[in-house]
Every structure is written in C-alpha cells, then in structure tokens.
C-alpha cells in the first residue's frame, strides 16, 4: 500500500461506532473511518498538499496495521477494536508525523485490552529529535569494550569502540546527542547495569516478558527515558505535547510503562535589550594660563 495515495475530500457512508461494533473491525471500515477522522482533525488544512499528504500517511498506516493485525495471531483483539481506539491512533500519527509501517517502523501500533496502543520506536524518537536539530545515538556497552566520557574546556568527549559482532554481557547503555549543524557532541547520558536493573525492578513484568526476551531493547528504552527527562534531548513545544500522549516502546508490542517527566520544551527567548547608560562627560580642557592661587 503506497503512502502517496491521497485521501478523498469527502468520505461516503462512513461507518459509525455502532456499525463497527456490530460488524467487527475490517480493513475497509478502518480505512473509511480513519479517513473521516483525519479530515475532521485537519480541518481546512486537508485542502492543502501538505494536509492531504499527512492524512494519506495516517490513513494508510492505520489501514495497513489493521490489515496485518487481522491476519496475525491477535486477530480477535483487532476485530474488537472500537472507533475511539482508531480515532486516538489517527490523532497520534498526525501529531507526531511518524508512521508505523515501512522498512523501519517509527511507531508501534498494536491492540491491548480493547485499545489500539501507540508507542514511539527508538527510530521514531531519533527522527523527532532530528527535526529539532539533534542527532541522537543510543548504544549498549558490552563487557570488554573501551568506553569513557569526560568534559573538558572544549566540551564533551566520548570514547566507545563497540564490538559489532560481540555477544558479551551488557554492562551499560548510553545516549549521545550531537548538534546537527556541525556534529558537535552536546551531551551524553549513561546508565550502568545496576541502574538498568533498578528500572527493571519497577516493571510489572520484571520477572519475565520483555525484560527476559528483549533486554537490550528495554535497556536502550530506559536510557532514552533518562535522556528525555533530564533535558539531554529537547523538543519544540508541539512535539513535546505529542510525545506526552505517545510513550516510548522498546520493541513492537511493548506495553511496559515507565514513570517519566515530560520531555523538556525548547524555549526560545529574545536576546536581552541593551541597558541604558549615561554618556560620559567630555574631559575638561586645560587652559594655557592656569588660574593662580593668589590674587594680585
């Protein structure tokens, strides 16, 4: 399904909540309903090329996700999705500008407890950061790999030589944030294995599930959370609002929640106005005949 398809200006016979509840979810029903939601949410923007492209991406993404879900092992859960679940998912896709389909998923979309859950993937988070002028690298550090971080008069310095084919124990993870304009390293956020285990202890699935099956992905998710909450990765206000409704996922299907402060909003302020000052008085000129101290 190409993402270049244009959403029609009008949708005819859009399924209602009652229709979908009675007929079960279907590809055609999901596509038609998502199309109408996108049109309603975008308003007059739908008449512009930018708006129609955004709507097409969201509608196609939802339709393809539903189509794949209906054929997968969770088909029963996909059939029981509600219009409210679809509406929220369309809004999340429009607000973030990310897509859950393609070679690299930027969003994870999956059913959970009757809801259509949406999570930002690490790749999606990197894309959002790039829009705000930051290149983000998140990496595990394995036992035996040289790693070091320091700050000197010239800024941050990072040393890491990963063994790309190694399978040693993960001893830590880090996020490095580079300025997109010149590649300068702006900040490094790291977590030791002990830090990661503390995060794991707070999970409802700490004794199994994703932490057992996807430990590396969950560890990277943890350090991305830390980088966001500490302000190492910053976002413009609009993206901050969007991320508040779409948490980070470590892998497709990750519903493990983490406590996280809102991402830092990039504040742009005008430079301080020059302060007023008194113009200095001109120097007193000396005369050729200085006044005498005695009267004659």
């Amino acid at each position: 399904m190409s993402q270049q398809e244009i959403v029609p200006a009008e949708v005819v016979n859009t399924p209602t909540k009652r229709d979908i509840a009675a007929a079960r979810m279907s590809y055609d029903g999901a596509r038609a309903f998502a199309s109408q939601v996108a049109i309603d949410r975008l308003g007059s923007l739908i008449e512009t090329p930018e708006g129609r492209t955004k709507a097409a991406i969201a509608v196609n993404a939802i339709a393809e996700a539903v189509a794949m879900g209906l054929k997968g092992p969770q088909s029963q859960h996909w059939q029981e999705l509600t219009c409210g679940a679809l509406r929220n998912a369309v809004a999340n896709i429009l607000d973030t500008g990310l897509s859950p389909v393609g070679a690299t998923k930027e969003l994870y979309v999956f059913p959970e407890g009757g809801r259509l859950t949406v999570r930002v993937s690490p790749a999606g988070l990197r894309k959002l950061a790039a829009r705000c002028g930051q290149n983000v690298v998140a990496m595990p550090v394995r036992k035996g790999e040289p790693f070091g971080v320091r700050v000197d008069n010239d800024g941050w310095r990072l040393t890491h030589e990963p063994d790309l084919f190694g399978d040693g124990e993960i001893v830590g993870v880090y996020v490095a944030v580079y300025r997109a304009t010149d590649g300068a390293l702006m900040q490094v956020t790291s977590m030791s294995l002990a830090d990661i285990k503390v995060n794991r202890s707070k999970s409802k699935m700490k004794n199994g599930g994703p932490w057992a099956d996807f430990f590396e992905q969950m560890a990277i998710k943890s350090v991305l959370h830390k980088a966001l909450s500490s302000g190492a990765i910053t976002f413009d206000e609009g993206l901050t609002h969007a991320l508040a409704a779409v948490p980070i996922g470590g892998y497709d299907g990750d519903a493990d929640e983490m406590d996280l402060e809102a991402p830092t909003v990039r504040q742009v302020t005008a430079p301080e106005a020059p302060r007023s000052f008194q113009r200095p008085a001109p120097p007193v000129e000396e005369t050729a005949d200085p006044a005498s101290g005695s009267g004659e």
Side-chain angles (χ1 to χ4, degrees):
M1 184 72 63
S2 171
Q3 293 187 350
Q4 301 303 314
E5 293 185 27
I6 301 300
V7 176
E10 296 182 359
V11 176
V12 181
N13 298 326
T14 302
T16 65
K17 186 173 182 178
R18 178 177 299 178
D19 292 337
I20 291 183
R24 299 282 183 167
M25 186 63 63
S26 68
Y27 170 85
D28 291 334
R31 184 177 183 82
F33 186 78
S35 178
Q36 187 61 57
V37 170
I39 291 171
D40 293 343
R41 188 173 181 85
L42 291 172
S44 59
L45 185 62
I46 194 66
E47 302 299 331
T48 66
E50 177 190 1
R52 293 171 73 86
T53 298
K54 289 183 67 174
I57 291 174
V59 171
N60 289 337
I62 289 294
E64 288 187 34
V66 170
M68 290 186 291
L70 291 174
K71 298 176 182 178
Q74 292 185 305
S75 60
Q76 182 67 27
H77 297 291
W78 282 92
Q79 291 177 30
E80 295 172 354
L81 291 178
T82 64
C83 285
L86 287 181
R87 183 180 292 108
N88 291 337
V90 172
N92 293 152
I93 294 172
L94 290 175
D95 290 346
T96 61
L98 303 176
S99 174
V101 295
T104 301
K105 287 189 176 182
E106 299 165 350
L107 289 174
Y108 301 131
V109 178
F110 53 93
E112 181 200 6
R115 298 181 295 114
L116 191 56
T117 300
V118 180
R119 295 287 186 269
V120 177
S121 73
L125 186 65
R126 289 194 293 270
K127 184 173 182 178
L128 295 179
R131 294 180 191 170
C132 298
Q134 303 152 102
N135 292 330
V136 174
V137 176
M139 293 279 290
V141 179
R142 299 185 182 277
K143 188 174 182 178
E145 294 179 349
F147 176 79
V149 177
R150 63 185 175 89
V151 182
D152 57 28
N153 293 335
D154 295 324
W156 287 82
R157 295 287 180 268
L158 169 67
T159 301
H160 181 214
E161 299 179 18
D163 181 357
L164 299 180
F165 302 103
D167 57 357
E169 177 188 8
I170 292 177
V171 296
V173 287
Y174 70 91
V175 168
V177 182
Y178 298 87
R179 188 164 54 210
T181 53
D182 59 4
L185 179 60
M186 302 301 295
Q187 195 160 341
V188 178
T189 302
S190 61
M191 295 180 69
S192 66
L193 180 59
D195 296 330
I196 298 169
K197 289 181 177 179
V198 169
N199 268 21
R200 177 176 182 169
S201 69
K202 298 177 181 178
S203 169
K204 294 179 180 179
M205 297 177 281
K206 59 186 177 183
N207 296 320
W211 282 102
D213 299 332
F214 303 96
F215 183 81
E216 179 177 333
Q217 292 90 329
M218 295 298 288
I220 290 176
K221 171 183 170 179
S222 295
V223 77
L224 285 171
H225 271 269
K226 183 178 179 180
L228 284 171
S229 60
S230 67
I233 304 173
T234 59
F235 292 105
D236 296 326
E237 188 171 3
L239 288 179
T240 301
H241 175 75
L243 276 177
V246 188
I248 301 173
Y251 61 95
D252 195 356
D254 173 20
D256 193 41
E257 301 289 354
M258 289 186 178
D259 294 331
L260 175 67
E261 299 175 8
T264 301
V265 180
R266 182 187 297 277
Q267 298 290 348
V268 180
T269 57
E272 185 178 359
R275 294 185 175 90
S276 61
F277 60 93
Q278 296 291 335
R279 181 181 298 277
V284 178
E285 295 183 3
E286 296 183 359
T287 62
D289 299 317
S292 173
S294 60
E296 295 182 355

